[in-house]
Amino acid sequence: MILGTASHVGKSIITAGICRILAEQGYSVAPFKAQNMSLNSWITRDGAEIGISQAVQARAAGVEPIAEMNPILLKPKGDRASQVIILGRIHADKSAGDYYETIHSVMDVVEESYDRLSQDYEFIIIEGAGGAAEINLYDRDIVNIGVARRFKPPIILVGDIERGGVFASLYGTIQLLPEDIKTLIKGIIINKFRGDPALLTPGIEELEKLTGIPILGVLPYTKLGIPSEDSVSIGDKEPADRSVTIAVIRLAHISNFTDFEPLEEHASVRYFEPDQPLGSVDAVIIPGTKNTIDDLMELKEYGMDREIKRCAEAGIPIIGICGGYQMLTSTITDRAIESTAETHTVLQGLGLLNAETRFEEYHKYTEQVTKIVTADGPILGRVKGCKVRGYEIHMGTTSHNEEPAFGDDGCTDKRGLVIGTYLHGLFENREITNALLGFLHERKNLTYTPITRREDPYRNLTDLLHDNLAMEQIYNFLEIEETE
């Protein structure tokens, strides 16, 4: 089990790395996170919705993601409520108080999911959530204390030195853990260090002396090209200085911004708050959102709607994914399904697509899809007839009178420069990425070299762990021997 001193210390990435290492040793291995709170999610082959980190970890392990790997997913919706996903299916919108009243039945789902995985896999690598020592939640914490107490796995505790105070956070976390959980900790990892690890030696020796727990290693700060777990990661993004700039609107309830991470290697992808002017950008992306209505109202409040329309009038490509697609339409009708308001709402969209969106029933569309590019225009016309793969996660439906973009999904305006689609994972398709980046470079008279292959980020990740961690100690408490 991988626990952390706080959120965003590197639990997800380290879990993925250990999954890959064990898989390369020939073991069958599955990731497991009892409860995830994230707006970045993934759709399995059978249409179940799980946190994207468990899908990434399953990919690292070379196995197919399934709902049991993340039995409970909480998607914050605003107004102190979250959409509760149980075993990949939408359950209800609940406040924290209402959710915790049912925590015992939820734990039953967690245990059943773990038991199913244990029947099919030799190893289960468990990821905790947030900080392990949330002492106010011990009586209802199913993802850290509950899982550790129920299954008693050997635990690795991870601390993030980039945030400062790593020795205090590690020591404080250990001291605040219940005694039966504290004894399960077999090692500590210090993550995201910039500099010479030798500088940490005195602190490492003192921490080992105080806790009796070995430091397994110090991992350097590294960019790996692995999808981010949640919106906390946006703050860490450092856009590269490249010839083409793509603006992504940072919506209050932004979801699945991992859609745009494949573009970061080839363009300067910059996130703009709703009150920031866009300036001279080459393309604008409106991402998915857990709350289309409220986020659109915020764009209008701060004038971002006018900024987007200004760019569209100037011939700058505007791409809306999922909730962003819904915002591009002329009108949005919500029968108290999508927004935090409890009344019927009709809202004017951005009006850049001749289309209408309606939220009329509490139903979520979740499926993996394969579509054919059917649109013309300077971007999609380059790859018309190509197959693209992605997945849909959305409430509401959209009808349009525009040129369809991907068969029965999405549409474009008559110029082909405003594109809307429900397809997440669109830029995982090299054809689409090359079509967009090729167009953006050509209109600036720049040379663009099409992407032909992507580097395996998991290879880099396992090299990172092997080079910086005492892997033999991890093998020892997993009771396995390293193979050649």
Side-chain angles (χ1 to χ4, degrees):
M1 184 174 193
I2 311 299
L3 292 181
T5 57
S7 296
H8 198 53
V9 299
K11 299 184 295 292
S12 298
I13 292 295
I14 291 171
T15 299
I18 293 176
C19 283
R20 170 55 69 93
I21 286 171
L22 290 176
E24 290 177 344
Q25 297 286 324
Y27 296 100
S28 63
V29 56
F32 180 74
K33 187 167 186 173
Q35 175 185 288
N36 204 340
M37 178 175 280
S38 175
L39 290 178
N40 285 351
S41 57
W42 176 269
I43 301 303
T44 66
R45 281 185 179 174
D46 62 354
E49 184 177 8
I50 64 174
I52 200 164
S53 60
Q54 280 62 67
V56 167
Q57 291 156 3
R59 188 182 299 175
V63 298
E64 189 66 30
I66 58 175
E68 284 79 6
M69 294 173 180
N70 176 211
I72 310 298
L73 175 62
L74 305 178
K75 305 190 75 173
K77 190 174 181 179
D79 196 27
R80 302 181 184 179
S82 291
Q83 187 179 84
V84 181
I85 312 292
I86 297 180
L87 286 175
R89 307 298 173 184
I90 188 169
H91 177 65
D93 289 351
K94 289 190 175 186
S95 67
D98 290 341
Y99 173 70
Y100 282 123
E101 284 182 2
T102 63
I103 204 68
H104 294 296
S105 61
V106 172
M107 189 61 186
D108 290 341
V109 174
V110 169
E111 292 188 6
E112 290 167 4
S113 296
Y114 182 94
D115 289 343
R116 290 190 202 113
L117 291 177
S118 66
Q119 294 173 15
D120 296 327
Y121 298 93
E122 295 171 276
F123 283 98
I124 299 174
I125 309 302
I126 305 169
E127 181 191 345
E134 302 290 352
I135 58 177
N136 57 311
L137 298 176
Y138 280 172
D139 62 333
R140 48 193 168 167
D141 175 8
I142 64 172
V143 65
N144 293 320
I145 303 305
V147 165
R149 185 165 282 155
R150 172 64 179 83
F151 304 116
K152 297 179 175 54
I155 293 172
I156 295 174
L157 180 65
V158 182
D160 177 0
I161 197 168
E162 173 122 308
R163 298 185 172 205
V166 70
F167 295 114
S169 62
L170 287 164
Y171 181 75
T173 296
I174 293 167
Q175 291 303 109
L176 288 173
L177 287 173
E179 289 300 322
D180 61 323
I181 306 302
K182 195 182 302 185
T183 59
L184 297 173
I185 301 178
K186 305 301 181 185
I188 295 169
I189 294 173
I190 295 175
N191 195 22
K192 303 183 189 177
F193 183 64
R194 301 178 192 247
D196 181 0
L199 296 173
L200 300 180
T201 299
I204 288 173
E205 292 175 348
E206 184 66 18
L207 186 63
E208 289 181 329
K209 179 180 175 181
L210 287 169
T211 64
I213 301 170
I215 306 294
L216 299 173
V218 177
L219 295 176
Y221 186 95
T222 309
K223 292 185 178 181
L224 292 165
I226 292 174
S228 303
E229 180 176 17
D230 53 44
S231 59
V232 179
S233 302
I234 294 178
D236 287 347
K237 291 186 177 296
E238 300 172 356
D241 185 14
R242 302 192 189 281
S243 302
V244 164
T245 298
I246 298 175
V248 178
I249 311 303
R250 186 170 180 176
L251 304 172
H253 302 91
I254 188 171
S255 65
N256 284 67
F257 66 87
T258 49
D259 285 342
F260 321 119
E261 290 181 334
L263 298 170
E264 292 176 359
E265 191 174 340
H266 312 279
S268 178
V269 178
R270 300 181 179 273
Y271 285 79
F272 287 76
E273 299 287 347
D275 61 349
Q276 287 183 274
L278 293 175
S280 299
V281 297
D282 299 300
V284 178
I285 296 176
I286 311 175
T289 167
K290 188 63 199 70
N291 195 318
T292 299
I293 301 290
D294 288 2
D295 282 359
L296 177 57
M297 291 176 66
E298 184 177 65
L299 295 191
K300 292 184 174 185
E301 177 183 355
Y302 289 106
M304 180 56 79
D305 61 326
R306 295 190 295 274
E307 282 287 288
I308 294 170
K309 290 177 182 178
R310 174 186 64 79
C311 289
E313 289 171 2
I316 303 300
I318 311 293
I319 301 173
I321 307 289
C322 200
Y325 171 32
Q326 294 170 341
M327 292 183 189
L328 289 173
T329 63
S330 300
T331 60
I332 302 173
T333 302
D334 178 28
R335 298 187 181 278
I337 300 294
E338 175 71 357
S339 76
T340 54
E342 296 181 357
T343 58
H344 180 92
T345 301
V346 178
L347 186 66
Q348 295 298 309
L350 297 176
L352 296 178
L353 291 174
N354 183 14
E356 177 185 3
T357 296
R358 305 182 70 85
F359 296 95
E360 296 187 308
E361 59 177 339
Y362 192 77
H363 172 73
K364 179 180 279 192
Y365 298 85
T366 58
E367 62 176 335
Q368 290 186 10
V369 296
T370 300
K371 304 286 185 180
I372 302 293
V373 180
T374 50
D376 292 304
I379 299 174
L380 293 182
R382 297 166 179 246
V383 289
K384 187 173 183 178
C386 287
K387 284 185 179 181
V388 294
R389 292 175 174 81
Y391 54 100
E392 295 186 25
I393 316 169
H394 63 94
M395 308 279 276
T397 59
T398 300
S399 57
H400 62 84
N401 296 308
E402 298 276 24
E403 182 175 22
F406 305 100
D408 60 353
D409 171 77
C411 62
T412 70
D413 69 347
K414 292 186 170 44
R415 297 176 300 169
L417 292 174
V418 179
I419 302 169
T421 177
Y422 278 116
L423 291 184
H424 290 290
L426 187 64
F427 297 108
E428 293 287 346
N429 297 275
R430 287 198 300 270
E431 298 85 355
I432 299 297
T433 297
N434 285 332
L436 175 62
L437 294 177
F439 171 75
L440 297 181
H441 280 77
E442 286 172 18
R443 69 170 4 190
K444 298 181 77 171
N445 296 316
L446 298 170
T447 300
Y448 174 68
T449 303
I451 304 164
T452 56
R453 59 183 291 275
R454 286 203 170 104
E455 193 173 316
D456 178 10
Y458 305 111
R459 178 72 272 152
N460 295 336
L461 175 57
T462 57
D463 289 344
L464 181 75
L465 299 190
H466 278 298
D467 291 344
N468 295 282
L469 298 184
M471 289 303 302
E472 67 280 0
Q473 293 189 50
I474 297 176
Y475 293 136
N476 284 340
F477 61 70
L478 291 177
E479 300 179 356
I480 62 174
E481 293 184 3
E482 182 178 7
T483 58
E484 295 296 330

